[in-house]
Amino acid sequence: MLENQKTGEVIEASTSGYLAQCYELYQSPALGSLVKTRGDDNLDILGVVSNTATLGIEPGRRPIARGKDVVSEEEIYRESPQLYKLLKSEFDVMVIGYSVDGRIYQNLPPKPARIHGFVYLCTQEEVRVFSQCLDFLSLLLNASVEIPVEELVIATLREMARSYGSERRSFLIEAGKELAVLLSKDYVRLKTILRGLKYDAGE
């Protein structure tokens, strides 16, 4: 199994999700990526990236435009290297499961993530194992996040499908069937999600 890539550190946490800060500017994981961090009692808490942002370190103080007299964005950072210390990239994670001793549960953990806990990108193998069960979709569909929930579902399934290689279409078809059951009384939402996944499924 490939070693997990450390991508950030928890700076705020609740049972349903947490906020993580990246170690490098602009290095947030992709929307919908499956990540994990450690909770109490040796729990591995699993979640999906539900939003990313880059902002100033000082609360309420926005960055100012600096590029009027330069040719490229890179030149701005070369001339003002302190920007790397004045800006930060963060990402929100919505918790959709946890594991204990290798057993996966697709519901909320009994305790939240630990502050200063390291956040790792799940390996392709871990993503495949987790997504064999699609119970997490009900959590996603009822999420309270900054972006439209339908977009989060699309992004998550796209990211998970990458781990299936030549079987990605089969995975997306199964996910579509599960969504059809969960959204049987909400055709508009179902259609929005399926349309977003259409080309990923090879149609």
Side-chain angles (χ1 to χ4, degrees):
M1 182 185 298
L2 295 175
E3 183 178 352
N4 293 98
Q5 177 186 343
K6 185 165 66 173
T7 189
E9 188 171 316
V10 178
I11 56 174
E12 292 180 10
S14 68
T15 303
S16 60
Y18 58 85
L19 176 65
Q21 184 174 332
C22 301
Y23 294 117
E24 301 293 336
L25 198 61
Y26 304 124
Q27 295 304 306
S28 301
L31 182 69
S33 298
L34 187 67
V35 296
K36 67 179 182 179
T37 188
R38 180 57 56 92
D40 287 334
D41 303 323
N42 292 321
L43 296 178
D44 277 336
I45 297 175
L46 297 151
V48 293
V49 176
S50 61
N51 197 34
T52 63
T54 296
L55 60 160
I57 291 289
E58 296 184 29
R61 184 174 179 181
R62 290 184 177 180
I64 60 173
R66 295 170 179 264
K68 181 180 179 181
D69 298 317
V70 300
V71 176
S72 67
E73 295 176 20
E74 290 75 14
E75 192 174 344
I76 294 175
Y77 288 93
R78 285 197 300 270
E79 292 186 356
S80 304
Q82 73 275 13
L83 290 175
Y84 287 104
K85 296 186 180 296
L86 297 176
L87 300 173
K88 59 181 177 179
S89 292
E90 300 176 341
F91 57 96
D92 292 302
V93 175
M94 180 194 164
V95 174
I96 58 171
Y98 64 98
S99 67
V100 183
D101 298 326
R103 183 173 180 179
I104 295 173
Y105 301 85
Q106 292 193 357
N107 42 41
L108 296 180
K111 295 182 180 180
R114 299 172 63 91
I115 299 297
H116 296 301
F118 297 149
V119 182
Y120 300 90
L121 281 172
C122 290
T123 64
Q124 296 291 287
E125 180 183 348
E126 289 171 330
V127 173
R128 283 195 301 272
V129 170
F130 181 84
S131 59
Q132 291 297 306
C133 176
L134 296 169
D135 290 349
F136 68 89
L137 286 174
S138 60
L139 277 175
L140 280 184
L141 290 170
N142 291 289
S144 176
V145 291
E146 291 189 40
I147 67 171
V149 170
E150 294 79 14
E151 291 299 321
L152 178 57
V153 173
I154 292 168
T156 299
L157 291 176
R158 280 177 175 170
E159 288 296 316
M160 289 181 170
R162 296 180 197 279
S163 70
Y164 281 82
S166 61
E167 298 178 348
R168 62 181 294 144
R169 186 172 187 272
S170 296
F171 166 74
L172 289 172
I173 288 173
E174 288 303 310
K177 291 178 180 178
E178 182 68 17
L179 288 166
V181 173
L182 294 171
L183 296 173
S184 60
K185 297 181 179 179
D186 197 338
Y187 177 72
V188 174
R189 292 184 74 196
L190 176 62
K191 185 178 179 181
T192 298
I193 296 171
L194 294 183
R195 185 187 295 121
L197 296 171
K198 181 177 180 180
Y199 295 106
D200 293 86
E203 297 182 16

